[in-house]
Amino acid sequence: MGSAEALGKDAAAHQKLKMLRERLESDIVTADADIVARYSTDWHGDVTSSALAVLRPRATEEVAQAVRACAELGIGIVPQGGRTGLALGAIPDAPETQVVLSLERMNRIRSLDPADFTAVVEAGMVLEAFKEEVAAQGLFFPLALGAQGSCQLGGNVSTNAGGVNVLRYGMTRELVLGLEVVLPDGRVLDGLSRLRKDNRGLDLKQLFIGAEGTLGIVTAVSVKLMPAPEKVATALLALDSLEDVIELYRRARQQCCDLMSAFEFMPPLAFALAKEGIPDLALPLEPGHEAYALVEISGSGFVDTDVLMERFLELSMGDGLVRDGVVAQSQAQARSIWLVREGMNEGQARRGKHLRTDLSVPLSRLADFVTEAENSIADSLPGAICVSYGHVGDGNVHLNVLPVPDATEPVDDQICRAKAVLNEVLDRYDGSISAEHGLGRLKAMDFGARVPAVQRDLLEAIKRAIDPNLTMNPRCQIVLN
Amino acid sequence: MKVLVPVKRVIDYNVKARVKADGSGVDLANVKMSMNPFDEIAVEEAIRLKEKGAVEEIVVVSIGVKQAQETLRTALAMGADRAILVVAADDVHTDIEPLAVAKILAKVVEEEAPKMVILGKQAIDNDMNATGQMLAALLGWGQATFASEVVVEGEAAKVTREVDGGLQTIEVKLPAIVTTDLRLNEPRYASLPNIMKAKKKPLEEKTADDYGVDVTPRLSVVKTEEPQGRSAGIKVGSVDELVAKLKEAGVV
């Protein structure tokens, strides 16, 4: 780009910003370089971008005003929550023509009704803060994921977040009763229903769940609450292979009376990575096994989850399926067991840029898939390290690849090659390239290359019907011109 | 030698305690209960002494409601050899006071003749910090409280204590009482094979009457209240305003 052209573009951007400021209250718009930089990158920092400005409205009406102003000026909007995403869905990709719209100032609980087991909460509330407020009422919001201390409910809804409790309670979609959404033309879709059964035609909220802000901006959500599980039994188990872990899961489904709330698997490297992530973590088990499973059973009322867990494990210990294990004797020990799982992510992050994936295959093919995928990576990228872990019950594996250190091939190229290899294997297993993270901008092209024509036509028709000017989170999920 | 480790079943320390509506105490109905963390440290220390060859047998004892046998099973799963449950209450809300506990423990010591009693310095529910000291007085034994290191050397134990000014190392003749402080060790997890084995380890059940000890409370709870929440802060616009506010509050 010649300098005259750059100057011209700067001037155009400057003009747009000026007009935006004229239309909105001054404390909503900021173009301060430091602040904009903060809102233009994710927690992992793999990509840094920029934006025309950051908009931080405090109420639904202010979101609507901002959306109307952007629509008039032809400015693209990137809606944003806690920036804990893993698919670049909330990071701008055209700094001169896009603003970030952060929901963080809309962080109140509007209502919490223990008799209905529902709450209405604004999109910018941090998940953990919400869970704490709910817990204070003796209730429980089951969505649980590593990022819960930072991620926000609007982001959870927009990505249809999964996490560790999906097995028992389902994805975010299954926890949502209603939504309030600001549409691309600035109208507000007020659908904050608290009804659990409602068959009045098409269920429009489903369009916006998992849409990653491409059809509008979720400003508030009505959610289901559950009774708080008073009793939780947590175990960390060592097994000989992923096949054995899946067999254990099959037994757990039958023997634990549907009270199982989490069943995670981890690779041999889990403990080493957890130690790198959390150096003073005391490991609950001796390392050196081929596979680990983290099992949690929870309930309330007159169930004894400890007895259930012990009986279940007694059988599988007896015939040698489970090699070793620990059962938490206190909540502190349960917490430490979970820290192994969470520390693993931290440990991977500390090893630098790597390929993060979020794949799902039918459960019956999970073990074969992981074996074949890891072998293919070993063939094409000798020396790279595969870290496969995830939510067994959901057939969801995070098969991450840590690039070969100090190789002549740049890390980005290695990551690109590893992804192509994995996707090729995944396609043969009828799997999904995005089980729970969303497509964002990271996987939009890969998705576009795979999606069947009829499905693509429908997706495009819906997008164009609701967002004809393509200003809502452009090039996220689907790339249109 | 034989070691006796008394353990108490208390509200799990990660549980947010709630006061009963009538203010008579903390609500323990349907609340996660675990071994008192200081007692867990005591069990761990006894196991470590056994692993070093200084101890042959570890007997754990708990006094309270019948459900305390779960706590004893945990201790057995960690590595204790056998357990004694002294049922002294029907209701989980009845706290057996330190003196009654110490009297029962003195009788158990008489029967079991251990060379050392290791127990937590206090229970996290009532924070009395009294049972170990009372037991030492009743038995006429030496006591080494707030231990952060325990070394058995022949007929004596060298114990490092956490005192206000720092660390103090003392030597006590055996038999003796040792109470544990937080930094003595980090307790192990109960492994699955050991949990299974623990089910077969002996657990003897007794009652307070068996020992002829009256456990009727001598203290009465007048009132239980939740701590006051912190009141909201204010923002001041300038240093002068800050100083004025601090003066107003009488702190400068």
Side-chain angles (χ1 to χ4, degrees), chain B residues 173-223:
Chain B
K173 263 197 309 192
L174 299 179
I177 310 289
V178 175
T179 75
T180 60
D181 216 319
L182 200 61
R183 276 163 286 270
L184 179 58
N185 60 50
E186 189 171 338
R188 68 193 61 195
Y189 287 78
S191 82
L192 202 48
N194 288 340
I195 290 173
M196 301 307 163
K197 279 185 216 151
K199 288 181 195 291
K200 300 193 179 78
K201 289 183 180 177
L203 191 155
E204 192 183 352
E205 201 176 308
K206 301 265 207 176
T207 64
D209 288 345
D210 293 341
Y211 297 102
V213 175
D214 178 10
V215 297
T216 312
R218 299 153 64 100
L219 307 172
S220 59
V221 175
V222 180
K223 200 156 97 184

Side-chain angles (χ1 to χ4, degrees), chain A residues 26-109:
Chain A
S26 61
D27 60 344
I28 291 177
V29 189
T30 175
D32 182 297
D34 287 348
I35 296 176
V36 172
R38 191 147 50 84
Y39 290 82
S40 301
T41 186
D42 271 341
W43 68 278
H44 51 69
D46 284 355
V47 172
T48 50
S49 181
S50 187
L52 202 55
V54 174
L55 311 184
R56 288 178 290 185
R58 288 156 300 205
T60 306
E61 188 40 47
E62 290 184 353
V63 175
Q65 279 166 10
V67 169
R68 278 194 295 271
C70 289
E72 278 173 37
L73 299 169
I75 296 172
I77 299 176
V78 179
Q80 190 179 78
R83 294 188 298 281
T84 59
L86 290 158
L88 303 178
I91 302 304
D93 68 345
E96 307 283 337
T97 56
Q98 290 172 346
V99 291
V100 166
L101 190 146
S102 168
L103 278 306
E104 70 186 4
R105 285 180 177 167
M106 291 186 62
N107 58 2
R108 290 177 313 122
I109 294 179

Side-chain angles (χ1 to χ4, degrees), chain A residues 12 16 54 70 90 107 175 194 237 330 370 423 429 463 470:
Chain A
K16 275 195 173 169
V54 174
C70 289
N107 58 2
L175 303 171
R194 291 189 297 177
L237 310 168
S330 62
V370 170
N423 284 350
Y429 279 80
K463 169 76 177 173
L470 308 180

Side-chain angles (χ1 to χ4, degrees), chain A residues 138-139 234 236 315:
Chain A
L139 296 169
T234 310
L236 182 63
L315 291 172

Side-chain angles (χ1 to χ4, degrees), chain A residues 306-388:
Chain A
D306 288 335
V307 169
L308 196 60
M309 180 68 94
E310 278 177 26
R311 290 279 156 78
F312 160 59
L313 292 177
E314 213 166 352
L315 291 172
S316 290
M317 194 82 196
D319 65 7
L321 186 69
V322 172
R323 291 298 181 182
D324 198 0
V326 290
V327 179
Q329 302 292 319
S330 62
Q331 290 196 1
Q333 288 193 346
R335 185 77 205 109
S336 297
I337 287 177
W338 275 106
L339 278 179
V340 175
R341 171 71 174 77
E342 287 159 23
M344 244 185 87
N345 290 356
E346 201 64 42
Q348 291 176 78
R350 289 192 187 193
R351 289 205 179 183
K353 198 167 176 181
H354 56 274
L355 175 65
R356 295 186 182 85
T357 70
D358 167 39
L359 316 172
S360 64
V361 294
L363 178 59
S364 57
R365 307 183 75 188
L366 182 62
D368 287 345
F369 167 71
V370 170
T371 308
E372 191 174 335
E374 288 189 350
N375 287 341
S376 300
I377 293 288
D379 287 345
S380 86
L381 271 162
I385 297 170
C386 290
V387 185
S388 305

